[in-house]
Amino acid sequence: MKEMLSSAFCFSLFGIIALIGNLVFLPVILLRLHKLKSVQNLSRDLVFVSWRFFLVLGHLSGKFNYNALRLDTKNLKSALIIANHPSLLDVVFMLGNLRRINCVVKSELTRNIFLFGAIKASGYISNSDNESLLNDSLNALRSGENLLIFPEGTRTTDKISFHKAAFYVAINGAKRLYPLFIKLDKYCLKRGSKWYETPNMNFNFVMNDYIDIQNYEKTKQNPIRVRKLYQNMQDLYKKEFDNER
């Protein structure tokens, strides 16, 4: 019963924060100000602050514990962060800890009443169309933005399985690649699970050493570099999570 009440508090709080945010984001979108880079940055700052507030209150309520993400994105340019995707809260943790980072989001979220405003106003990238996804991701990195991608495309099921698109983007647009491991003590908030079935959770974020993409297999052609990076990351995540079992 206690876990159900803390779940109700957290999900209600998140909904309230998102709806209040829409009061700011909707005028920005209607006036088409979201096309301006400065406005996108302000919108991302608002997401950062409001979702950080949600995480702090969620922690105080006992719903989840987590360690801080120690990556200063303010002093990075053209960095790609990849991560596995074990729960619904992963994006909230990332955007509530990594300031002004761009993010690839599921196309369904662009139609979500709570999140569409933040996504549009912040210029986050939808995965609705593969060609647009690749072009928008490359343009973001080449312009100096930092980008977050979950290479699984959707939340983790039984095993981690990445798509190659993220590594094509890395080789062709990024300067650095940061692999991030998201570890949960209880596998929850999976696809199809009910919010009231969510137990209290402990998140552990482990950031691996970055890969210098500009010097990664630089004597080889890009398609070969993409395949090697893809396989290296698959092996790295498999080894990391096999050791957890």
Side-chain angles (χ1 to χ4, degrees):
M1 185 63 177
K2 184 178 179 180
E3 289 186 350
M4 186 180 294
L5 288 174
S6 62
S7 293
F9 168 76
C10 285
F11 280 93
S12 299
L13 175 65
F14 186 82
I16 292 168
I17 290 172
L19 289 174
I20 291 173
N22 282 342
L23 297 177
V24 177
F25 296 133
L26 279 176
V28 167
I29 295 167
L30 292 173
L31 294 171
R32 302 186 67 80
L33 298 175
H34 63 287
K35 300 289 185 180
L36 301 174
K37 185 61 185 174
S38 58
V39 174
Q40 289 181 4
N41 283 336
L42 287 173
S43 297
R44 292 176 191 177
D45 284 347
L46 180 58
V47 170
F48 174 81
V49 170
S50 58
W51 289 10
R52 173 70 69 88
F53 175 71
F54 165 76
L55 293 173
V56 170
L57 290 187
H59 171 69
L60 292 175
S61 74
K63 191 64 206 172
F64 43 77
N65 292 307
Y66 59 94
N67 60 303
L69 273 170
R70 304 195 180 281
L71 181 62
D72 185 6
T73 50
K74 290 186 295 184
N75 294 318
L76 286 179
K77 283 190 175 181
S78 303
L80 177 64
I81 295 95
I82 65 169
N84 58 304
H85 197 5
S87 87
L88 187 66
L89 285 175
D90 301 334
V91 176
V92 179
F93 276 108
M94 298 300 101
L95 299 183
N97 279 277
L98 303 175
R99 189 180 175 210
R100 288 196 180 175
I101 193 169
N102 202 341
C103 180
V104 173
V105 299
K106 289 180 64 175
S107 59
E108 292 91 335
L109 296 180
T110 63
R111 300 184 292 274
N112 182 288
I113 189 173
F114 297 102
L115 298 174
F116 81 95
I119 291 171
K120 187 112 177 147
S122 300
Y124 296 140
I125 299 168
S126 168
N127 69 355
S128 57
D129 177 77
N130 286 337
E131 185 175 351
S132 296
L133 166 63
L134 292 176
N135 289 335
D136 291 344
S137 297
L138 289 172
N139 289 337
L141 287 166
R142 289 169 180 168
S143 69
E145 289 188 10
N146 302 309
L147 179 65
L148 168 67
I149 294 181
F150 296 95
E152 294 173 282
T154 188
R155 294 197 289 280
T156 305
T157 53
D158 295 327
K159 64 178 181 178
I160 292 172
S161 180
F162 290 157
H163 300 298
K164 286 185 179 178
F167 307 101
Y168 173 88
V169 169
I171 291 297
N172 289 280
K175 293 181 179 179
R176 291 181 177 183
L177 173 66
Y178 287 85
L180 174 66
F181 307 117
I182 304 177
K183 302 181 180 183
L184 268 172
D185 64 332
K186 298 171 184 174
Y187 197 58
C188 55
L189 286 177
K190 300 182 292 185
R191 296 180 69 187
S193 63
K194 307 297 184 183
W195 66 265
Y196 51 79
E197 297 173 343
T198 305
N200 294 342
M201 299 164 284
N202 292 305
F203 285 83
N204 184 25
F205 300 101
V206 181
M207 182 72 74
N208 212 52
D209 291 338
Y210 73 84
I211 297 170
D212 182 352
I213 294 296
Q214 293 177 312
N215 290 311
Y216 179 82
E217 301 286 349
K218 65 179 181 179
T219 60
K220 296 182 172 61
Q221 294 183 335
N222 277 2
I224 297 173
R225 297 172 70 210
V226 171
R227 287 197 298 271
K228 287 185 70 69
L229 182 61
Y230 163 76
Q231 192 58 57
N232 287 348
M233 291 299 100
Q234 279 281 136
D235 294 343
L236 178 67
Y237 277 79
K238 184 177 186 300
K239 179 181 178 181
E240 181 72 24
F241 286 95
D242 281 351
N243 289 338
E244 294 288 308
R245 296 189 180 97

